[in-house]
Amino acid sequence: MKTKTVSLILGSGGARGYAHIGVIEELLNLGYQIDSISGSSMGALIGGLYACGKMEEYKQWVIPLSKFDILKLLDISFNSSGFIKGEKIFQGINKIIGKVNIEDLPIKFTAVATDLTAKKEAWFQKGDLATAIRASASIPTILTPKKIKTHYFVDGGVLNPLPVAPTISDMTEIKICVNLNADIPNIYKKKNTQKQIEQKNNIFSYFENKASKGKNKKEELGYFQIMQTSLNLMQNALTRYKTAEYTPDVMINIPIDIGDFYEFYKAEEFIEIGKDATKKALSEKFGT
């Protein structure tokens, strides 16, 4: 079979973004050639890691992470722009990536962020790769914004959770989108172990406690739960709008309820779901 060249569009969705690793691994296993990547948030992170040849190293770092490892990476911010400074998390990521500019990568790469200062979408297609990823992955109210010169940047998913537009001019054969916010039945659902349930509850409680600090009583719906649900709804709606405007050749749908965006202890499970979803989407499209 002739190798097909691919423009790969990787969406935002927090920890569900580990599925992107499985998608990339399965595409390569099937003989596809990835010539271009556009990503928002975790899509920018995983896409950038693949583009600079460090995705496998990152995978080996995150798979063993437990709830305690994750909590140790959450450095508290004492200002009002976000719960987490993100310095500990991105120190580890930056160590893996090293010093590399986007324009020097072997494939075309775009990290999409939201420019709060200019009030518009921002495309990073040159300059320091790690800086672009940090800007794209700054989840509002959770991670502090990334300041670059006089501008503040937050998560690309705020305006464009599935950035197809940067790939429109690509001379590749097919465009493949990976939607982490698909409102579809979760056929990949697995029963959580007691350990996973305890890990989820501990991390969720951590954010809720930070969000409710100073309140006299806990509300029926906590701040963090409201924020997460609202972000999911917003990204789902924006994804439908963006893909109606720019229709990809293949859509790999990851059900939104495979896990919450903070469940970073489920890397191995989400990676396998990414592989399974890729096989399913390609089989339905090409019969292979």
Side-chain angles (χ1 to χ4, degrees):
M1 183 181 78
K2 179 180 178 291
T3 299
K4 288 187 177 180
T5 57
V6 174
S7 290
L8 186 60
I9 299 96
L10 303 178
S12 61
R16 293 189 297 275
Y18 286 141
H20 291 320
I21 296 175
V23 170
I24 291 172
E25 289 181 342
E26 190 59 29
L27 287 174
L28 296 176
N29 182 56
L30 292 171
Y32 289 86
Q33 178 179 308
I34 301 169
D35 285 354
S36 170
I37 295 178
S38 173
S40 273
S41 196
M42 273 292 281
L45 171 60
I46 302 302
L49 285 160
Y50 172 74
C52 70
K54 299 298 179 66
M55 188 179 75
E56 180 62 27
E57 186 176 342
Y58 175 78
K59 175 184 173 181
Q60 297 308 317
W61 178 50
V62 297
I63 281 180
L65 291 179
S66 68
K67 68 173 183 182
F68 299 107
D69 297 321
I70 293 168
L71 289 172
K72 284 189 294 186
L73 290 171
L74 304 182
D75 44 357
I76 305 304
S77 171
F78 293 100
N79 62 49
S80 59
S81 61
F83 297 141
I84 310 300
K85 288 186 287 186
E87 291 177 3
K88 288 184 179 179
I89 297 170
F90 282 94
Q91 277 177 0
I93 292 171
N94 293 351
K95 185 177 179 181
I96 292 171
I97 292 175
K99 187 68 176 175
V100 57
N101 287 329
I102 295 172
E103 60 267 32
D104 296 328
L105 294 172
I107 65 175
K108 179 187 172 186
F109 176 75
T110 304
V112 176
T114 300
D115 186 337
L116 291 181
T117 307
K119 299 180 177 63
K120 65 179 182 179
E121 186 177 318
W123 295 2
F124 288 85
Q125 296 179 316
K126 62 181 181 178
D128 184 62
L129 175 62
T131 298
I133 291 171
R134 175 65 175 86
S136 179
S138 300
I139 303 171
T141 74
I142 300 298
L143 280 172
T144 55
K146 175 64 178 177
K147 185 179 182 182
I148 302 175
K149 296 182 180 179
T150 60
H151 287 234
Y152 289 89
F153 296 88
V154 295
D155 199 295
V158 171
L159 290 179
N160 196 347
L162 199 56
V164 184
T167 69
I168 293 301
S169 63
D170 291 349
M171 300 300 291
T172 52
E173 293 172 272
I174 58 174
K175 289 179 173 55
I176 299 177
C177 280
V178 186
N179 174 21
L180 300 178
N181 301 290
D183 186 15
I184 58 174
N186 181 10
I187 62 174
Y188 312 102
K189 193 168 186 177
K190 298 179 182 179
K191 185 176 180 181
N192 287 335
T193 65
Q194 185 60 37
K195 180 180 179 182
Q196 287 177 325
I197 293 170
E198 290 173 358
Q199 289 176 332
K200 176 175 180 175
N201 290 340
N202 272 275
I203 295 173
F204 182 83
S205 296
Y206 172 87
F207 284 116
E208 277 294 356
N209 290 338
K210 295 302 176 186
S212 61
K213 188 177 180 181
K215 295 182 179 180
N216 294 324
K217 62 179 181 179
K218 188 172 181 178
E219 302 291 341
E220 185 176 347
L221 279 177
Y223 172 89
F224 180 66
Q225 186 177 358
I226 293 170
M227 185 277 296
Q228 177 188 220
T229 304
S230 299
L231 187 62
N232 285 343
L233 288 169
M234 178 192 72
Q235 291 194 130
N236 183 275
L238 281 171
T239 296
R240 291 198 302 269
Y241 169 76
K242 291 294 184 181
T243 53
E245 184 180 11
Y246 301 107
T247 305
D249 299 295
V250 178
M251 177 69 80
I252 299 173
N253 284 309
I254 308 296
I256 196 168
D257 63 350
I258 64 165
D260 293 312
F261 80 83
Y262 55 85
E263 294 185 275
F264 287 96
Y265 51 87
K266 288 187 175 182
E268 195 163 18
E269 178 181 332
F270 291 166
I271 290 169
E272 289 305 309
I273 289 174
K275 291 180 181 179
D276 291 343
T278 302
K279 292 173 186 174
K280 181 176 183 296
L282 293 174
S283 176
E284 290 174 350
K285 179 69 177 181
F286 302 116
T288 57

